[in-house]
Amino acid sequence: MKSKYIALLFVPLLLSSCSNQRDVSNQLEINEKILTDKTKEIEQLTQTMEQLQLENNHLKDRITSYQNTFQLIQEKSAVLTEELNIFQPNTIQKGTKLGDLTVADIKKEETNGAINYFVSFSGEVEVNGSIVINQARNNKYLIIVDKDLVILPHSLTEFENGRMYLSISNETALEAALGAKLSHLNDSSSLEITAIFKNFHYNDVPSTDIRHDAEFVRLAD
């Protein structure tokens, strides 16, 4: 009888112990789940940091590339001028020869805080380009110069873009030379020509649709 009474006393203790074990087991499962979730978060953060580091390195490389390019312009401007006809309107000097053209005049104007440069060149030059309809200004046509970009004086930005837009100061002479070929030109077509031009004007007017211009002389043979 006494042993039964003692056994009954231990039953609640055993039940309590089992309950505690279940609680501990549940808590361990919860902790394990939390740890797993945190581990995944850490892995995702690590991947994000690695990606950001790669992007940061890429940006650094681009910045370094641009810095090297500008440094090259400053240190090797003579070489660039001679080989590629790249120049800076704010540093070019009157009398400088770029390819077949020579700087004849330089004008500087300030408009709404922006500095505009107008560089005039003397000499004739043969250029290949594509005539398109001009949508922006009074001039009927524009010539897109890409293949022969390095023949004309141009900026680093134009060199990077691979093209320059040129308006013609005497369009009637161009129309007379090309005749009916221009009549077939529309907003989605172009006409490739190779021609001689003179009086090239490099107009550096940011945030406007003012183009460089030149005078048409004749079609190339």
Side-chain angles (χ1 to χ4, degrees):
M1 187 70 177
K2 185 176 180 180
S3 61
K4 290 181 179 181
Y5 179 73
I6 293 172
L8 288 173
L9 289 175
F10 277 100
V11 168
L13 294 174
L14 291 172
L15 292 174
S16 176
S17 175
C18 291
S19 176
N20 289 337
Q21 289 179 357
R22 283 195 299 271
D23 291 343
V24 171
S25 177
N26 290 337
Q27 187 61 47
L28 287 174
E29 291 179 1
I30 293 172
N31 291 342
E32 185 177 355
K33 185 177 183 305
I34 292 173
L35 181 60
T36 300
D37 292 341
K38 292 298 182 183
T39 301
K40 290 181 179 179
E41 289 181 9
I42 292 172
E43 290 176 352
Q44 291 175 351
L45 287 172
T46 301
Q47 292 176 356
T48 301
M49 290 177 65
E50 291 176 350
Q51 181 63 33
L52 289 173
Q53 185 64 42
L54 288 174
E55 293 177 1
N56 184 49
N57 290 339
H58 179 64
L59 288 174
K60 285 182 177 180
D61 290 341
R62 290 188 63 184
I63 291 172
T64 300
S65 175
Y66 283 123
Q67 288 175 336
N68 290 339
T69 300
F70 284 115
Q71 183 178 359
L72 182 62
I73 289 177
Q74 293 174 351
E75 296 179 354
K76 306 295 183 181
S77 58
V79 175
L80 282 176
T81 296
E82 181 179 353
E83 299 297 330
L84 301 176
N85 284 337
I86 295 174
F87 80 107
Q88 294 175 297
N90 61 323
T91 59
I92 195 73
Q93 299 293 320
K94 186 175 180 179
T96 301
K97 189 173 179 60
L98 297 173
D100 294 330
L101 303 179
T102 303
V103 177
D105 188 36
I106 304 169
K107 292 182 179 179
K108 175 181 174 182
E109 295 180 0
E110 183 173 350
T111 304
N112 298 324
I115 304 298
N116 306 320
Y117 292 94
F118 304 89
V119 184
S120 301
F121 291 84
S122 61
E124 293 187 353
V125 62
E126 180 178 320
V127 176
N128 174 275
S130 299
I131 302 176
V132 296
I133 298 294
N134 185 14
Q135 304 290 335
R137 292 180 61 82
N138 295 329
N139 301 81
K140 292 181 183 179
Y141 313 107
L142 282 178
I143 297 181
I144 301 175
V145 181
D146 45 19
K147 297 177 184 177
D148 284 352
L149 176 62
V150 295
I151 293 178
L152 292 173
H154 58 283
S155 68
L156 177 62
T157 300
E158 288 164 331
F159 178 76
E160 291 177 339
N161 292 336
R163 62 174 53 187
M164 164 192 290
Y165 295 91
L166 185 66
S167 64
I168 306 304
S169 59
N170 57 335
E171 291 184 332
T172 53
L174 180 68
E175 290 174 331
L178 292 172
K181 292 181 179 179
L182 283 177
S183 64
H184 300 295
L185 203 61
N186 57 52
D187 293 345
S188 59
S189 65
S190 63
L191 175 64
E192 184 174 352
I193 67 166
T194 300
I196 310 299
F197 298 93
K198 67 179 180 179
N199 296 330
F200 174 67
H201 294 92
Y202 186 94
N203 304 312
D204 183 21
V205 188
S207 303
T208 71
D209 58 359
I210 295 177
R211 305 294 186 181
H212 315 311
D213 65 84
E215 182 180 341
F216 170 78
V217 177
R218 65 183 183 277
L219 294 175
D221 298 332

